[in-house]
Amino acid sequence: MNFIEFVSQPWHWSVSGAVIVFVMFLLLWFGGNFGASSNLRTLCAIGGAGKQVDFFKFNWKGQMWNLVFIGSAIIGGYLATTVFASPEPVQIAQETQEYLSTLGVSTPQTIEEGNGYLPQEIFAVKNLLSGRNLVIILVGGFLVGFGARYAGGCTSGHAISGLSNLQLPSLIAVIGFFIGGLLMTWLIIPFLFTI
Amino acid sequence: MKLMKYMIPGILFGIVMTKSEAVSWFRIQEMFRFESFHMYGIIGTAVILAAIMTWLIKKYQGKTLSGDQIVFNPKNMSVPRYLIGGIIFGLGWAMTGACPGPMFTLVGHGAWTILLVIASAIAGTYAYGALKSKLPH
Protein backbone atom coordinates (compact mmCIF):
# COMPACT_ATOMS: atom_id res chain seq x y z
CA MET A 1 0.00 0.00 0.00
CA ASN A 2 1.53 3.32 -1.03
CA PHE A 3 1.13 6.67 0.76
CA ILE A 4 -1.81 7.89 -1.34
CA GLU A 5 -3.73 4.64 -0.85
CA PHE A 6 -3.00 4.78 2.88
CA VAL A 7 -4.31 8.35 3.27
CA SER A 8 -7.29 7.66 0.99
CA GLN A 9 -8.92 5.18 3.36
CA PRO A 10 -11.61 6.60 5.67
CA TRP A 11 -9.86 7.83 8.83
CA HIS A 12 -10.52 6.36 12.24
CA TRP A 13 -12.39 8.79 14.52
CA SER A 14 -9.42 9.10 16.89
CA VAL A 15 -7.08 10.03 14.02
CA SER A 16 -9.66 12.53 12.75
CA GLY A 17 -10.04 14.13 16.19
CA ALA A 18 -6.27 14.43 16.56
CA VAL A 19 -5.85 16.02 13.11
CA ILE A 20 -8.61 18.56 13.92
CA VAL A 21 -6.65 19.56 17.03
CA PHE A 22 -3.48 19.86 14.93
CA VAL A 23 -5.39 22.24 12.63
CA MET A 24 -6.45 24.19 15.74
CA PHE A 25 -2.84 24.26 16.94
CA LEU A 26 -1.60 25.68 13.62
CA LEU A 27 -4.29 28.39 13.73
CA LEU A 28 -3.35 29.40 17.29
CA TRP A 29 0.37 29.31 16.47
CA PHE A 30 -0.20 31.55 13.45
CA GLY A 31 -2.05 34.03 15.68
CA GLY A 32 -5.60 33.09 14.73
CA ASN A 33 -8.22 30.91 16.40
CA PHE A 34 -10.44 28.00 15.43
CA GLY A 35 -13.98 29.12 14.48
CA ALA A 36 -15.51 28.65 11.03
CA SER A 37 -18.82 30.51 11.30
CA SER A 38 -17.38 34.00 11.90
CA ASN A 39 -16.40 33.91 8.22
CA LEU A 40 -20.09 34.29 7.37
CA ARG A 41 -20.13 37.61 9.26
CA THR A 42 -16.96 38.68 7.45
CA LEU A 43 -18.55 37.85 4.08
CA CYS A 44 -21.56 40.03 5.00
CA ALA A 45 -19.20 42.89 5.92
CA ILE A 46 -17.23 42.55 2.66
CA GLY A 47 -20.54 42.65 0.80
CA GLY A 48 -21.22 46.07 2.32
CA ALA A 49 -23.67 45.05 5.08
CA GLY A 50 -21.93 47.50 7.44
CA LYS A 51 -23.64 50.36 5.61
CA GLN A 52 -27.04 49.19 6.88
CA VAL A 53 -26.30 47.21 10.04
CA ASP A 54 -23.78 48.18 12.74
CA PHE A 55 -23.06 44.51 13.56
CA PHE A 56 -21.19 44.32 10.24
CA LYS A 57 -19.27 47.56 10.80
CA PHE A 58 -15.92 46.18 11.95
CA ASN A 59 -12.41 45.87 10.61
CA TRP A 60 -13.05 42.83 8.43
CA LYS A 61 -9.58 43.08 6.91
CA GLY A 62 -8.34 41.75 10.27
CA GLN A 63 -10.36 38.58 9.59
CA MET A 64 -8.88 37.87 6.16
CA TRP A 65 -6.70 35.11 7.60
CA ASN A 66 -9.85 33.18 8.51
CA LEU A 67 -11.24 33.55 4.98
CA VAL A 68 -7.95 32.21 3.58
CA PHE A 69 -8.32 29.30 6.03
CA ILE A 70 -11.92 28.45 5.13
CA GLY A 71 -11.33 29.09 1.40
CA SER A 72 -8.47 26.59 1.54
CA ALA A 73 -10.83 24.04 3.08
CA ILE A 74 -12.50 24.03 -0.37
CA ILE A 75 -9.13 22.96 -1.86
CA GLY A 76 -8.82 20.32 0.88
CA GLY A 77 -12.31 19.03 0.07
CA TYR A 78 -11.34 18.83 -3.60
CA LEU A 79 -8.10 16.93 -2.87
CA ALA A 80 -9.88 14.56 -0.47
CA THR A 81 -12.38 13.53 -3.15
CA THR A 82 -9.94 13.33 -6.08
CA VAL A 83 -6.30 12.55 -5.24
CA PHE A 84 -7.27 10.96 -1.91
CA ALA A 85 -10.74 9.73 -2.92
CA SER A 86 -12.05 7.00 -0.65
CA PRO A 87 -12.31 3.55 -2.28
CA GLU A 88 -15.65 2.93 -0.54
CA PRO A 89 -18.75 4.98 0.37
CA VAL A 90 -19.30 6.17 3.95
CA GLN A 91 -20.22 3.12 6.08
CA ILE A 92 -23.40 4.17 7.86
CA ALA A 93 -24.94 2.13 10.70
CA GLN A 94 -27.45 -0.45 9.45
CA GLU A 95 -30.26 0.97 11.65
CA THR A 96 -29.74 4.45 10.19
CA GLN A 97 -29.78 3.06 6.64
CA GLU A 98 -33.02 1.18 7.29
CA TYR A 99 -34.65 4.24 8.86
CA LEU A 100 -33.56 6.52 5.99
CA SER A 101 -34.90 4.05 3.42
CA THR A 102 -38.36 4.46 5.02
CA LEU A 103 -38.03 8.17 4.18
CA GLY A 104 -37.05 7.30 0.61
CA VAL A 105 -33.38 8.26 1.12
CA SER A 106 -31.02 5.57 -0.16
CA THR A 107 -27.55 5.02 1.29
CA PRO A 108 -24.90 4.22 -1.37
CA GLN A 109 -23.58 0.65 -1.05
CA THR A 110 -20.85 0.87 -3.66
CA ILE A 111 -18.63 3.77 -4.70
CA GLU A 112 -20.34 3.65 -8.13
CA GLU A 113 -23.63 4.54 -6.41
CA GLY A 114 -22.09 7.49 -4.59
CA ASN A 115 -19.59 8.45 -1.89
CA GLY A 116 -22.16 8.74 0.89
CA TYR A 117 -21.49 12.37 1.78
CA LEU A 118 -24.75 13.90 0.55
CA PRO A 119 -28.02 12.10 -0.28
CA GLN A 120 -28.84 12.55 -3.97
CA GLU A 121 -32.58 12.59 -3.15
CA ILE A 122 -32.05 15.97 -1.43
CA PHE A 123 -28.93 17.57 -2.88
CA ALA A 124 -28.72 16.48 -6.55
CA VAL A 125 -29.17 19.50 -8.84
CA LYS A 126 -31.93 17.66 -10.73
CA ASN A 127 -33.95 17.28 -7.51
CA LEU A 128 -33.68 20.95 -6.60
CA LEU A 129 -37.16 21.87 -7.76
CA SER A 130 -38.85 19.88 -5.03
CA GLY A 131 -40.44 22.10 -2.39
CA ARG A 132 -39.21 19.84 0.40
CA ASN A 133 -35.61 19.98 -0.82
CA LEU A 134 -35.70 23.75 -1.20
CA VAL A 135 -36.96 24.03 2.39
CA ILE A 136 -34.12 21.79 3.63
CA ILE A 137 -31.48 23.69 1.69
CA LEU A 138 -32.67 27.28 2.13
CA VAL A 139 -34.29 27.17 5.58
CA GLY A 140 -31.59 24.83 6.91
CA GLY A 141 -28.80 27.09 5.70
CA PHE A 142 -30.55 30.16 7.12
CA LEU A 143 -30.93 28.54 10.55
CA VAL A 144 -27.24 27.56 10.61
CA GLY A 145 -26.15 31.13 9.82
CA PHE A 146 -28.63 32.80 12.18
CA GLY A 147 -28.09 30.37 15.04
CA ALA A 148 -24.30 30.30 14.79
CA ARG A 149 -24.06 34.06 15.10
CA TYR A 150 -26.75 34.29 17.80
CA ALA A 151 -24.91 31.63 19.85
CA GLY A 152 -21.56 33.26 19.01
CA GLY A 153 -20.05 30.18 17.39
CA CYS A 154 -20.60 26.83 15.73
CA THR A 155 -19.20 23.34 16.18
CA SER A 156 -15.58 24.50 15.87
CA GLY A 157 -15.91 27.64 18.01
CA HIS A 158 -18.10 26.25 20.80
CA ALA A 159 -17.95 22.43 20.78
CA ILE A 160 -14.18 22.25 20.24
CA SER A 161 -12.51 25.61 21.08
CA GLY A 162 -14.99 26.57 23.83
CA LEU A 163 -15.43 23.22 25.57
CA SER A 164 -11.68 22.57 25.54
CA ASN A 165 -11.21 25.94 27.29
CA LEU A 166 -13.84 24.82 29.87
CA GLN A 167 -16.25 27.60 28.93
CA LEU A 168 -19.71 27.16 30.49
CA PRO A 169 -21.33 29.31 27.74
CA SER A 170 -20.01 26.83 25.17
CA LEU A 171 -21.49 23.90 27.10
CA ILE A 172 -24.87 25.68 27.09
CA ALA A 173 -24.50 26.27 23.33
CA VAL A 174 -23.63 22.61 22.69
CA ILE A 175 -26.65 21.50 24.74
CA GLY A 176 -28.67 23.84 22.51
CA PHE A 177 -27.11 22.29 19.37
CA PHE A 178 -28.35 18.90 20.59
CA ILE A 179 -31.84 20.05 21.54
CA GLY A 180 -32.24 21.57 18.07
CA GLY A 181 -30.59 18.63 16.30
CA LEU A 182 -32.75 16.06 18.09
CA LEU A 183 -35.96 18.00 17.37
CA MET A 184 -35.04 18.23 13.70
CA THR A 185 -33.92 14.60 13.39
CA TRP A 186 -36.74 12.93 15.32
CA LEU A 187 -39.72 15.21 14.58
CA ILE A 188 -39.30 17.68 11.74
CA ILE A 189 -37.33 15.62 9.17
CA PRO A 190 -39.73 12.63 9.39
CA PHE A 191 -42.63 15.10 9.05
CA LEU A 192 -41.06 16.83 6.01
CA PHE A 193 -40.63 13.46 4.29
CA THR A 194 -44.23 12.34 4.81
CA ILE A 195 -46.02 15.42 3.46
CA MET B 1 1.76 36.92 1.68
CA LYS B 2 1.60 36.61 5.47
CA LEU B 3 -1.86 35.13 5.03
CA MET B 4 -0.69 32.36 2.71
CA LYS B 5 0.41 30.20 5.64
CA TYR B 6 -3.25 29.83 6.64
CA MET B 7 -3.68 27.69 3.53
CA ILE B 8 -1.86 24.84 5.33
CA PRO B 9 -4.39 24.39 8.17
CA GLY B 10 -7.18 25.24 5.70
CA ILE B 11 -6.31 22.49 3.22
CA LEU B 12 -5.72 20.05 6.07
CA PHE B 13 -9.10 21.01 7.56
CA GLY B 14 -10.92 20.28 4.27
CA ILE B 15 -9.13 16.93 4.05
CA VAL B 16 -9.89 15.92 7.65
CA MET B 17 -13.54 17.04 7.42
CA THR B 18 -13.88 14.75 4.37
CA LYS B 19 -11.79 11.79 5.53
CA SER B 20 -13.42 11.85 8.99
CA GLU B 21 -16.79 11.84 7.14
CA ALA B 22 -17.97 14.72 9.35
CA VAL B 23 -19.14 16.31 6.08
CA SER B 24 -21.62 13.47 5.55
CA TRP B 25 -25.33 14.27 5.94
CA PHE B 26 -25.76 10.55 6.74
CA ARG B 27 -23.22 10.73 9.58
CA ILE B 28 -25.10 13.66 11.18
CA GLN B 29 -28.39 11.73 11.00
CA GLU B 30 -26.65 8.71 12.51
CA MET B 31 -25.20 10.88 15.30
CA PHE B 32 -28.51 12.50 16.26
CA ARG B 33 -30.20 9.07 16.16
CA PHE B 34 -27.48 7.70 18.50
CA GLU B 35 -26.84 4.80 16.12
CA SER B 36 -23.06 5.11 15.88
CA PHE B 37 -20.22 6.28 18.07
CA HIS B 38 -18.30 7.70 15.09
CA MET B 39 -19.12 11.43 15.39
CA TYR B 40 -18.96 11.33 19.20
CA GLY B 41 -15.53 9.74 18.88
CA ILE B 42 -14.29 12.52 16.59
CA ILE B 43 -15.64 15.39 18.70
CA GLY B 44 -14.73 13.69 21.99
CA THR B 45 -11.12 13.03 20.92
CA ALA B 46 -10.83 16.59 19.63
CA VAL B 47 -12.20 18.13 22.85
CA ILE B 48 -9.94 16.06 25.13
CA LEU B 49 -6.77 16.69 23.08
CA ALA B 50 -7.65 20.38 22.60
CA ALA B 51 -8.23 20.73 26.36
CA ILE B 52 -4.76 19.28 27.05
CA MET B 53 -3.24 21.56 24.41
CA THR B 54 -5.04 24.63 25.79
CA TRP B 55 -3.89 23.79 29.33
CA LEU B 56 -0.28 23.34 28.16
CA ILE B 57 -0.30 26.60 26.18
CA LYS B 58 -1.62 28.48 29.23
CA LYS B 59 0.78 26.79 31.65
CA TYR B 60 3.88 27.38 29.53
CA GLN B 61 2.65 30.73 28.14
CA GLY B 62 2.82 29.56 24.54
CA LYS B 63 3.75 32.13 21.92
CA THR B 64 2.57 32.62 18.36
CA LEU B 65 4.93 32.43 15.38
CA SER B 66 5.40 36.22 15.59
CA GLY B 67 6.26 36.05 19.30
CA ASP B 68 2.98 37.25 20.86
CA GLN B 69 1.38 35.45 23.77
CA ILE B 70 -1.42 33.07 22.72
CA VAL B 71 -4.58 34.24 24.50
CA PHE B 72 -7.89 32.45 25.04
CA ASN B 73 -10.71 34.93 25.48
CA PRO B 74 -13.36 33.86 27.99
CA LYS B 75 -16.92 34.09 26.70
CA ASN B 76 -19.46 36.38 28.38
CA MET B 77 -21.97 34.47 30.48
CA SER B 78 -25.59 34.31 29.37
CA VAL B 79 -28.14 31.52 29.17
CA PRO B 80 -30.74 32.65 26.59
CA ARG B 81 -28.17 33.70 24.02
CA TYR B 82 -26.33 30.38 23.93
CA LEU B 83 -29.37 28.18 24.47
CA ILE B 84 -31.72 29.79 21.92
CA GLY B 85 -28.93 30.46 19.42
CA GLY B 86 -27.67 26.92 19.92
CA ILE B 87 -31.12 25.39 19.36
CA ILE B 88 -31.57 27.37 16.14
CA PHE B 89 -28.12 26.28 14.96
CA GLY B 90 -28.82 22.64 15.87
CA LEU B 91 -32.07 22.67 13.87
CA GLY B 92 -30.16 23.87 10.81
CA TRP B 93 -27.22 21.51 11.38
CA ALA B 94 -29.44 18.41 11.47
CA MET B 95 -31.48 19.65 8.50
CA THR B 96 -28.62 20.38 6.09
CA GLY B 97 -26.23 17.89 7.67
CA ALA B 98 -23.58 20.58 7.45
CA CYS B 99 -22.14 23.05 9.92
CA PRO B 100 -20.13 25.98 8.50
CA GLY B 101 -16.75 24.18 8.12
CA PRO B 102 -18.17 21.23 6.18
CA MET B 103 -20.28 23.59 4.03
CA PHE B 104 -17.14 25.11 2.51
CA THR B 105 -15.42 21.72 2.30
CA LEU B 106 -18.37 20.34 0.31
CA VAL B 107 -17.94 23.06 -2.33
CA GLY B 108 -14.60 21.39 -3.09
CA HIS B 109 -16.45 18.11 -3.62
CA GLY B 110 -18.30 19.77 -6.48
CA ALA B 111 -21.59 19.57 -4.57
CA TRP B 112 -23.02 22.69 -6.18
CA THR B 113 -26.29 22.85 -4.23
CA ILE B 114 -24.17 23.54 -1.14
CA LEU B 115 -23.56 27.01 -2.58
CA LEU B 116 -27.27 27.66 -1.94
CA VAL B 117 -26.87 26.45 1.65
CA ILE B 118 -23.92 28.85 2.09
CA ALA B 119 -25.87 31.72 0.53
CA SER B 120 -28.75 31.02 2.95
CA ALA B 121 -26.34 30.84 5.88
CA ILE B 122 -24.96 34.26 4.89
CA ALA B 123 -28.55 35.55 4.70
CA GLY B 124 -29.22 34.07 8.16
CA THR B 125 -26.10 35.78 9.53
CA TYR B 126 -27.27 39.07 8.03
CA ALA B 127 -30.74 38.62 9.54
CA TYR B 128 -29.20 38.03 12.96
CA GLY B 129 -27.13 41.21 12.63
CA ALA B 130 -30.22 43.21 11.66
CA LEU B 131 -32.37 41.79 14.51
CA LYS B 132 -29.63 41.61 17.15
CA SER B 133 -30.91 44.48 19.33
CA LYS B 134 -34.41 42.94 19.49
CA LEU B 135 -33.29 39.45 20.58
CA PRO B 136 -32.72 38.31 24.19
CA HIS B 137 -28.99 38.00 24.91
Side-chain angles (χ1 to χ4, degrees):
Chain A
M1 189 181 276
N2 66 29
F3 173 74
I4 289 187
E5 283 168 354
F6 179 71
V7 175
S8 299
Q9 306 169 85
W11 296 1
H12 188 264
W13 50 260
S14 61
V15 175
S16 303
V19 174
I20 291 169
V21 176
F22 182 61
V23 167
M24 180 179 165
F25 166 75
L26 288 176
L27 289 170
L28 290 170
W29 188 42
F30 291 164
N33 54 59
F34 184 42
S37 67
S38 53
N39 287 297
L40 299 168
R41 182 186 181 204
T42 308
L43 287 170
C44 284
I46 291 175
K51 290 196 195 89
Q52 298 116 29
V53 180
D54 283 349
F55 182 65
F56 301 108
K57 213 178 279 173
F58 66 100
N59 176 27
W60 54 263
K61 290 198 176 81
Q63 286 293 312
M64 283 304 287
W65 63 268
N66 208 349
L67 277 186
V68 173
F69 167 71
I70 209 69
S72 303
I74 300 176
I75 304 172
Y78 172 77
L79 291 174
T81 46
T82 51
V83 182
F84 304 114
S86 177
E88 56 182 37
V90 177
Q91 303 291 305
I92 301 298
Q94 199 59 40
E95 296 106 300
T96 312
Q97 294 192 30
E98 283 164 15
Y99 157 73
L100 289 174
S101 72
T102 67
L103 301 184
V105 174
S106 58
T107 310
Q109 301 299 316
T110 64
I111 201 70
E112 287 74 27
E113 288 171 30
N115 50 26
Y117 297 125
L118 293 177
Q120 291 305 301
E121 291 85 351
I122 301 172
F123 290 97
V125 175
K126 67 176 161 59
N127 294 330
L128 202 55
L129 286 174
S130 124
R132 181 198 71 205
N133 292 349
L134 280 177
V135 166
I136 292 175
I137 288 167
L138 300 179
V139 177
F142 187 92
L143 293 171
V144 169
F146 190 99
R149 214 61 282 116
Y150 194 170
C154 58
T155 325
S156 49
H158 275 310
I160 298 178
S161 297
L163 286 187
S164 66
N165 192 26
L166 312 177
Q167 296 290 302
L168 183 59
S170 293
L171 181 63
I172 300 170
V174 172
I175 291 169
F177 296 172
F178 266 81
I179 297 172
L182 292 173
L183 281 173
M184 180 57 66
T185 302
W186 291 89
L187 297 175
I188 306 173
I189 291 229
F191 173 73
L192 281 174
F193 278 83
T194 49
I195 52 171
Chain B
M1 280 310 287
K2 281 178 107 168
L3 296 179
M4 295 291 277
K5 60 179 178 288
Y6 285 97
M7 290 182 71
I8 302 164
I11 291 172
L12 193 56
F13 184 60
I15 293 175
V16 68
M17 284 296 102
T18 307
K19 301 317 290 185
S20 69
E21 305 174 340
V23 294
S24 171
W25 184 92
F26 296 90
R27 283 286 190 206
I28 304 305
Q29 282 286 302
E30 189 187 55
M31 170 180 79
F32 282 125
R33 293 182 59 80
F34 304 108
E35 288 168 343
S36 167
F37 180 71
H38 187 83
M39 289 300 302
Y40 297 100
I42 297 172
I43 298 172
T45 308
V47 171
I48 291 166
L49 293 178
I52 296 168
M53 176 176 76
T54 303
W55 180 77
L56 286 172
I57 290 174
K58 283 179 176 172
K59 184 170 164 68
Y60 294 102
Q61 301 180 351
K63 302 269 193 299
T64 65
L65 196 53
S66 53
D68 300 319
Q69 184 118 16
I70 297 177
V71 284
F72 297 91
N73 297 319
K75 296 178 195 296
N76 297 325
M77 190 53 200
S78 153
V79 172
R81 173 179 187 186
Y82 300 108
L83 195 61
I84 304 170
I87 291 171
I88 295 171
F89 175 84
L91 288 166
W93 185 16
M95 201 176 204
T96 60
C99 45
M103 275 181 199
F104 287 92
T105 304
L106 283 163
V107 174
H109 291 198
W112 305 123
T113 41
I114 282 295
L115 291 170
L116 290 174
V117 179
I118 294 176
S120 308
I122 292 171
T125 303
Y126 180 83
Y128 167 74
L131 296 172
K132 187 173 186 272
S133 59
K134 298 187 179 67
L135 298 167
H137 277 81

